[in-house]
Amino acid sequence: HERLVGSEMCIRDSLEAMLKTFGYSDFTNEEFLAIPDDEINQKVSTFTKFDSWQAMIDKAAELYSLEKMGFKP
């Protein structure tokens, strides 16, 4: 069991809420990874401000990295 703190808990909770909105809340990791790219990209562009799953992941990684370096995004 890993210990999550602050922003990591927020990210996990936000991701879980988003997957529930997308209808993927009961998926295993393997089932989630098997979703076709065009399907997940369509849901991302419909329910978020991002055009694709990759664009959303890239922005999340950028913000997470800045926070870990002590910058407030």
Side-chain angles (χ1 to χ4, degrees):
H1 178 70
E2 77 182 83
R3 184 172 172 205
L4 301 177
V5 294
S7 63
E8 293 165 335
M9 286 176 56
C10 192
I11 290 168
R12 183 208 58 206
D13 293 346
S14 295
L15 181 58
E16 287 176 1
M18 181 190 69
L19 294 176
K20 184 176 180 180
T21 298
F22 288 3
Y24 300 145
S25 60
D26 293 328
F27 279 39
T28 65
N29 286 341
E30 292 80 18
E31 290 170 323
F32 181 75
L33 293 172
I35 299 168
D37 289 346
D38 59 335
E39 181 180 329
I40 191 97
N41 288 334
Q42 177 62 39
K43 291 191 185 276
V44 168
S45 66
T46 298
F47 292 103
T48 75
K49 67 179 184 174
F50 299 98
D51 294 331
S52 68
W53 175 256
Q54 189 61 54
M56 187 174 68
I57 295 300
D58 290 347
K59 186 63 174 179
E62 174 189 338
L63 294 174
Y64 181 79
S65 296
L66 287 171
E67 183 177 313
K68 288 295 182 183
M69 291 187 293
F71 299 102
K72 297 293 180 194

